[in-house]
Coordinates of all heavy atoms in Angstrom, one line a residue:
N205 N 55.5 16.1 -65.4 CA 55.4 16.4 -66.8 C 55.7 17.8 -67.1 O 56.4 18.2 -68.0 CB 54.0 16.0 -67.3 CG 53.7 14.5 -67.5 OD1 54.6 13.8 -67.6 ND2 52.4 14.2 -67.4
G207 N 57.8 19.6 -65.3 CA 59.2 19.9 -65.1 C 60.1 19.4 -66.4 O 60.9 20.0 -66.8
C208 N 59.6 18.4 -67.1 CA 60.2 17.9 -68.3 C 60.2 18.9 -69.3 O 61.1 19.3 -70.0 CB 59.6 16.6 -68.8 SG 60.1 15.2 -67.7
L209 N 59.0 19.6 -69.6 CA 58.9 20.6 -70.5 C 59.7 21.9 -70.2 O 60.3 22.5 -71.1 CB 57.3 21.1 -70.6 CG 56.4 20.0 -71.1 CD1 54.9 20.4 -70.9 CD2 56.7 19.8 -72.6
V210 N 59.8 22.3 -69.0 CA 60.6 23.5 -68.6 C 62.0 23.3 -69.0 O 62.7 24.1 -69.5 CB 60.3 23.8 -67.1 CG1 61.3 25.0 -66.7 CG2 58.9 24.3 -67.0
H211 N 62.6 22.2 -68.5 CA 64.1 22.0 -68.7 C 64.5 21.5 -70.0 O 65.7 21.8 -70.4 CB 64.6 20.8 -67.6 CG 64.4 21.4 -66.3 ND1 65.1 22.4 -65.7 CD2 63.4 21.1 -65.3 CE1 64.8 22.6 -64.4 NE2 63.8 21.9 -64.2
T212 N 63.7 20.7 -70.8 CA 64.3 20.1 -72.1 C 63.5 20.6 -73.2 O 63.9 20.6 -74.4 CB 64.1 18.7 -72.0 OG1 62.7 18.2 -72.0 CG2 65.0 18.0 -70.9
G213 N 62.3 21.2 -72.9 CA 61.5 21.6 -74.0 C 60.8 20.5 -74.8 O 60.4 20.6 -75.8
V214 N 60.9 19.2 -74.3 CA 60.4 18.0 -74.8 C 59.5 17.4 -73.8 O 59.8 17.4 -72.6 CB 61.5 17.1 -75.2 CG1 60.8 15.9 -75.9 CG2 62.4 17.8 -76.2
K215 N 58.5 16.8 -74.3 CA 57.6 16.2 -73.4 C 58.2 14.9 -72.9 O 58.8 14.2 -73.6 CB 56.3 15.7 -74.1 CG 55.4 17.0 -74.5 CD 54.0 16.5 -75.1 CE 53.2 17.8 -75.3 NZ 52.0 17.3 -76.0
C216 N 58.1 14.7 -71.6 CA 58.7 13.5 -71.0 C 57.9 12.3 -71.4 O 56.6 12.4 -71.5 CB 58.8 13.6 -69.5 SG 59.9 14.9 -68.9
G217 N 58.6 11.3 -71.7 CA 57.9 10.0 -72.0 C 57.7 9.8 -73.5 O 57.0 8.8 -73.8
V218 N 58.0 10.7 -74.4 CA 57.8 10.6 -75.8 C 59.0 10.0 -76.5 O 60.1 10.4 -76.2 CB 57.4 12.1 -76.4 CG1 57.2 11.9 -77.9 CG2 56.3 12.6 -75.7

Side-chain angles (χ1 to χ4, degrees):
N205 291 336
C208 290
L209 289 172
V210 170
H211 293 288
T212 63
V214 182
K215 293 184 178 180
C216 296
V218 177

